[in-house]
Amino acid sequence: MPFPNKNIVEMIRRQYPKGCRVELVRMDDVQAPPVGTKGTVIGVDDTASVMVKWDNGCGLNVVYGEDSCRRIEE
């Protein structure tokens, strides 16, 4: 997966602003929280990965192009 360009990073930052709530859809990592785990976005890094503070204490990022989460309203 190529490094995302500045426009993609900004699009992801608009889609997942700091403080919004998300739910995990897919994460390919043995230490990943279970699918359906909810969390709060703490930011989006320069690789367009969504940084999430998961409700279960996990701190793994949602990696752009590999993992998937969806924004939720609570």
Side-chain angles (χ1 to χ4, degrees):
M1 166 90 13
F3 193 79
N5 66 38
K6 185 177 171 181
N7 292 334
I8 290 172
V9 172
E10 289 306 315
M11 178 188 71
I12 299 297
R13 286 184 174 146
R14 285 190 302 274
Q15 188 175 356
Y16 296 102
K18 185 177 180 179
C20 80
R21 298 282 290 163
V22 294
E23 180 178 357
L24 184 63
V25 174
R26 183 184 75 249
M27 185 178 284
D28 187 21
D29 189 303
V30 294
Q31 298 194 357
V35 167
T37 300
K38 296 176 182 174
T40 303
V41 172
I42 57 175
V44 174
D45 69 15
D46 290 339
T47 66
S49 291
V50 180
M51 300 178 292
V52 180
K53 182 178 188 290
W54 298 104
D55 293 352
N56 69 352
C58 180
L60 289 177
N61 294 346
V62 180
V63 177
Y64 176 78
E66 297 292 324
D67 306 324
S68 179
C69 67
R70 67 180 184 92
R71 190 168 168 180
I72 58 172
E73 301 298 328
E74 290 189 318

